[in-house]
Amino acid sequence: MKSASERHFSPGSPEETPLHKMLFLPAAALCCLCSALVTMAEEQLIREDLTLTRRVGESVSFSCGGTDQCDDDWIHWYQKKENETFKVLLRIDKSDGEVRSDYGHPQKDDFSAENKKNSCELKINKIKRDHSATYYCIGGWYYIFGSGTKLYVTDEQVVKPVVSVYPAASRAHLEGNSSLLCVASAMFPPLVQFSWKRQKKNGGEAEELPPAEGEQLELRESGQVVAIRVVDRDVFDTYMYSCFVKHEGGTVEAQTQQEVPALPPALYVPSIHEVKLLCLLYTVLIVKSLVYCCGLSLLMILTNKGPSTNCTHAD
């Protein structure tokens, strides 16, 4: 009989393959799949327009955007209304240019498609009120929805946003960072898209800040949208930052040259004597509360015994 050290296992047996190696391959495959999906979403799901504003009776065209968007075998267009699910409008077959609209959409006759070079447009020849919705194009096998293009059917005029940039004091200052606030307000339609650039204060070419560098948070309120960008405090004094706001009315730029706000004053730390005094005060208050509760309970017990005793003597 062979000892444990002399045993031989067939290749691929569980004894030969540790658990962490067995789990590594599925995890790696999943990571690769997720990375591929994210890459496709970034490269293909591009929309040229955030919003489109039209009046009743006008026409409109939605562009799928992206140089490689229409290289897929087919393109699907979806409609998404408020408080409703996604509905398929039509499909463009790239092999023969056929447009299929037999998906049961109640407005299918209002839409048409045109297959152009590097673009697969969705068209509405005569806009109605109930065409107000967000429209998405999906290419190939991967059903990844991007931001879409929202259609506003209204008589209101498009108004470009008023944009301002401010340095903001926040908790990030304690961690060696600074925060910039970019505020877009007084615009119609209310949807905007933020991007940032920086340029050295002593000159030089402006460079765009990718989303991976720093942190950004967007807050949407009635009538305005705020983007908060966290930047390294060490380089803040070297660069001038610009906020770009993309809107249907055009792109608006705002710059900041303000000084970084000073660090907040150090928090007040009480002395040990003040801490002891506060503890004594709280202890006294707690004892007084206990005494009061005990006295009140005793009074209620005596009050309840009085009537019962009188009744016993009367009998």
Side-chain angles (χ1 to χ4, degrees):
M1 181 176 181
K2 296 183 180 181
S3 62
S5 60
E6 296 176 339
R7 292 177 185 172
H8 297 282
F9 303 103
S10 60
S13 63
E15 292 86 353
E16 187 184 42
T17 306
L19 179 60
H20 68 278
K21 290 185 178 180
M22 296 174 62
L23 296 177
F24 173 76
L25 292 178
L30 181 59
C31 290
C32 292
L33 177 60
C34 293
S35 300
L37 293 178
V38 171
T39 301
M40 286 182 292
E42 291 178 350
E43 293 181 352
Q44 295 187 358
L45 298 179
I46 301 172
R47 300 294 178 271
E48 295 181 355
D49 302 297
L50 294 173
T51 61
L52 290 172
T53 304
R54 297 290 187 273
R55 292 183 173 88
V56 174
E58 294 182 343
S59 62
V60 66
S61 295
F62 302 93
S63 176
C64 214
T67 57
D68 299 328
Q69 184 72 39
C70 288
D71 287 344
D72 295 306
D73 293 335
W74 56 77
I75 300 294
H76 287 85
W77 276 99
Y78 282 76
Q79 181 192 67
K80 172 71 172 64
K81 292 187 177 182
E82 295 290 338
N83 302 321
E84 293 186 11
T85 60
F86 289 87
K87 295 180 180 179
V88 186
L89 288 171
L90 52 85
R91 189 189 80 176
I92 305 173
D93 193 333
K94 295 303 300 288
S95 61
D96 54 9
E98 181 187 3
V99 178
R100 292 187 55 186
S101 58
D102 53 347
Y103 294 98
H105 195 285
Q107 299 174 334
K108 64 178 182 179
D109 295 333
D110 299 339
F111 297 88
S112 61
E114 183 174 349
N115 194 348
K116 293 184 178 180
K117 181 180 180 181
N118 295 332
S119 177
C120 305
E121 293 186 354
L122 175 72
K123 289 188 175 182
I124 306 177
N125 293 323
K126 192 173 183 180
I127 296 175
K128 303 175 184 177
R129 287 286 180 184
D130 56 0
H131 288 150
S132 295
T134 304
Y135 295 86
Y136 302 84
C137 66
I138 305 296
W141 295 92
Y142 304 99
Y143 286 73
I144 304 175
F145 290 87
S147 57
T149 300
K150 187 166 186 178
L151 174 64
Y152 287 88
V153 182
T154 177
D155 293 331
E156 291 190 49
Q157 296 292 329
V158 175
V159 180
K160 294 174 66 173
V162 177
V163 182
S164 304
V165 181
Y166 308 96
S170 67
R171 184 181 181 87
H173 286 78
L174 300 177
E175 302 172 355
N177 295 325
S178 296
S179 298
L180 290 174
L181 266 70
C182 185
V183 182
S185 59
M187 65 276 189
F188 183 83
L191 294 182
V192 294
Q193 187 178 71
F194 293 92
S195 61
W196 294 84
K197 289 185 179 181
R198 70 180 184 181
Q199 182 181 16
K200 288 188 176 181
K201 294 183 179 180
N202 58 3
E205 188 176 352
E207 59 181 1
E208 188 169 355
L209 290 178
E213 292 187 12
E215 301 175 1
Q216 179 167 313
L217 174 67
E218 292 187 13
L219 304 175
R220 300 183 181 273
E221 298 180 356
S222 178
Q224 68 178 10
V225 185
V226 180
I228 304 174
R229 178 81 184 206
V230 178
V231 296
D232 190 349
R233 185 181 177 86
D234 295 334
V235 301
F236 192 93
D237 296 331
T238 307
Y239 290 92
M240 178 178 64
Y241 288 82
S242 302
C243 173
F244 291 82
V245 178
K246 181 181 178 181
H247 185 259
E248 184 178 345
T251 300
V252 182
E253 176 187 2
Q255 297 180 341
T256 177
Q257 292 181 326
Q258 296 97 326
E259 295 295 329
V260 180
L263 290 174
L267 296 176
Y268 173 71
V269 180
S271 65
I272 186 64
H273 299 290
E274 291 174 322
V275 173
K276 289 182 178 180
L277 182 60
L278 288 174
C279 291
L280 178 61
L281 178 61
Y282 285 133
T283 303
V284 172
L285 291 175
I286 293 173
V287 171
K288 288 180 64 176
S289 300
L290 291 175
V291 172
Y292 175 78
C293 292
C294 292
L296 184 61
S297 300
L298 181 60
L299 180 62
M300 293 180 63
I301 292 174
L302 294 176
T303 303
N304 292 332
K305 280 187 176 182
S308 61
T309 305
N310 294 336
C311 292
T312 304
H313 288 297
D315 294 340

